[in-house]
Amino acid sequence: MFDYLYTSTDLTQEVNRLPNEFGLINALGLFPIETLGSRFVRVDYRNGQIYVLSAEEPGSPGSVGSSEQEGGVILQIPHFPHLEKIAVGDVDGLLQVFNGQVDERSVDRETARKLDIIRRNHSITLEFIRLGGLNGLIKDGKGKTLYDLYTVFGITKKEVDFVLGTAGTDVRGKCEEVIDHTMTHLKGETNSGVEAVVDSKFFGKLIAHEKVEKFWLNAQNSSEHKMLNRENRAGNWGRAFEFGDIVWREYKGGLPVRSSSGTISTQQNVADNSGTAYPTGTQSMMRTFEAPVFHIDLTNQAPDADTIYISVEPLKHGQGVEMLSQTNRLAINKQPECVVQVKTSN
């Protein structure tokens, strides 16, 4: 007989004890989670201007503030379900190696294995939508576009071609163009600097460019150019390098996605010869919004932050159990005009 004693609450608590250590964007903390009591989020924006006031005689009325143009968009937070099953045949009469010893399979161990799979699936999904939130094009695991943030907010995407294949390119000038654009469009937000997440090809061409090498060879700390910092952040063994007042971070690898036909392939985290530059130290520019759990017992209730909810359903005639997990999240950059898409065309 298949004896399964875990409740939905037990499983949800258990899977949430497993830390989410996947992905560079997650490790950088760019999109902190904000919980909502609704499956929709409204993002408001104002175009009010501040300006230097003129000196007037005491008692004069002063300059009159102009009216602000206000607007907003309402976005639906997507629902990401995932189903796992434990059948009698997965444990009954089978052996496994556990802690170096051969032992019978158990429901407890199979449950722990399934919970790890569930957590990993939702973790890479979260990283995937955060990458989309950063570069402005949010897609799901089947390649369907959920939101193009530049279209949503009516903003023209800023791109800077570093032309790293050309020896005479003024790379520091390109960096300054990125910084100028970011700082100009902050509109009251705070920031502590500018960073960029790029792919390995862009990163390699950047550090090998003669203008970049010349700068570091003439600097007192030129050894840092020869021995780049390599950061092990959430499984990403990428390099980090500061040049032109921008911290450049290499994001290696990719995430598995499933096509509509069911074929699984790897999609690069960052496309070849490209990347995204963004301001750091902002207050509320980037957020991961988390909506209520889609379950009759939890309607209109704000979820616990960073929660993967699991419901359990026994199969007929004691043949096993199904575990249906879900997350409801959307990563949004509320000011995509502050982000710059960098690339090299050669």
Side-chain angles (χ1 to χ4, degrees):
M1 180 178 178
F2 195 95
D3 187 13
Y4 196 82
L5 303 177
Y6 296 99
T7 66
S8 296
T9 301
D10 293 334
L11 290 176
T12 298
Q13 291 175 346
E14 188 65 30
V15 75
N16 287 324
R17 289 193 186 104
L18 302 173
N20 181 13
E21 297 179 347
F22 191 90
L24 178 61
I25 307 303
N26 173 68
L28 293 173
L30 293 182
F31 290 87
I33 288 180
E34 181 177 328
T35 60
L36 302 173
S38 168
R39 303 193 64 78
F40 295 86
V41 58
R42 177 183 169 92
V43 179
D44 295 311
Y45 53 85
R46 296 177 177 84
N47 294 326
Q49 296 292 316
I50 60 174
Y51 46 87
V52 177
L53 302 177
S54 60
E56 304 288 350
E57 290 294 328
S60 63
S63 58
V64 179
S66 59
S67 59
E68 294 186 354
Q69 294 182 345
E70 298 187 13
V73 293
I74 297 177
L75 306 176
Q76 184 173 1
I77 298 176
H79 173 69
F80 297 102
H82 177 68
L83 183 67
E84 289 287 344
K85 182 175 71 171
I86 301 178
V88 175
D90 294 331
V91 295
D92 188 42
L94 299 178
L95 300 176
Q96 67 178 20
V97 178
F98 186 75
N99 289 337
Q101 306 216 353
V102 178
D103 197 359
E104 290 185 351
R105 285 197 180 183
S106 69
V107 175
D108 284 346
R109 291 172 186 166
E110 187 65 11
T111 299
R113 190 178 73 85
K114 293 290 187 180
L115 291 179
D116 184 59
I117 292 173
I118 288 171
R119 182 66 186 184
R120 289 174 183 271
N121 274 292
H122 287 284
S123 292
I124 64 173
T125 301
L126 180 58
E127 181 73 2
F128 193 74
I129 62 172
R130 281 174 169 166
L131 276 166
L134 184 63
N135 64 39
L137 186 61
I138 305 170
K139 296 187 176 185
D140 67 6
K142 289 186 177 180
K144 180 179 70 175
T145 297
L146 302 177
Y147 293 106
D148 183 331
L149 296 183
Y150 293 98
T151 300
V152 167
F153 291 104
I155 295 168
T156 301
K157 182 188 300 185
K158 171 66 174 179
E159 292 185 343
V160 175
D161 187 351
F162 274 64
V163 203
L164 295 173
T166 301
T169 299
D170 181 4
V171 182
R172 287 189 66 86
K174 296 287 186 179
C175 292
E176 198 60 33
E177 183 181 352
V178 171
I179 293 173
D180 281 348
H181 181 86
T182 298
M183 300 302 174
T184 301
H185 291 83
L186 282 172
K187 295 179 181 178
E189 255 285 11
T190 61
N191 87 299
S192 58
V194 176
E195 294 185 354
V197 173
V198 299
D199 82 299
S200 296
K201 290 185 177 181
F202 185 102
F203 193 94
K205 291 178 181 179
L206 174 67
I207 62 176
H209 193 274
E210 67 172 23
K211 293 289 184 72
V212 178
E213 285 190 327
K214 181 179 179 181
F215 173 81
W216 282 103
L217 288 173
N218 293 333
Q220 292 181 351
N221 55 351
S222 62
S223 61
E224 292 186 13
H225 181 251
K226 300 173 184 176
M227 299 178 62
L228 296 173
N229 294 326
R230 190 174 288 276
E231 301 177 327
N232 186 7
R233 288 177 179 264
N236 178 63
W237 196 242
R239 295 166 290 179
F241 175 64
E242 183 174 353
F243 179 79
D245 297 320
I246 298 175
V247 177
W248 300 91
R249 300 188 185 278
E250 177 189 28
Y251 199 176
K252 292 180 175 292
L255 298 173
V257 296
R258 187 192 300 269
S259 68
S260 56
S261 64
T263 304
I264 296 178
S265 60
T266 298
Q267 180 171 316
Q268 286 182 227
N269 292 319
V270 184
D272 284 346
N273 297 306
S274 71
T276 304
Y278 54 89
T280 59
T282 59
Q283 296 184 49
S284 60
M285 184 180 296
M286 302 181 190
R287 284 290 184 271
T288 301
F289 293 106
E290 187 161 354
V293 176
F294 189 75
H295 192 281
I296 191 62
D297 295 335
L298 299 170
T299 54
N300 299 319
Q301 296 182 32
D304 295 330
D306 200 14
T307 295
I308 300 170
Y309 181 80
I310 302 175
S311 60
V312 183
E313 184 71 24
L315 298 175
K316 290 183 178 181
H317 308 297
Q319 295 183 31
V321 293
E322 287 183 340
M323 297 185 293
L324 178 61
S325 61
Q326 62 171 288
T327 50
N328 304 272
R329 296 163 173 166
L330 180 63
I332 292 291
N333 177 7
K334 293 180 279 186
Q335 293 179 237
E337 66 270 27
C338 293
V339 166
V340 178
Q341 304 302 320
V342 298
K343 66 178 184 179
T344 177
S345 55
N346 61 6

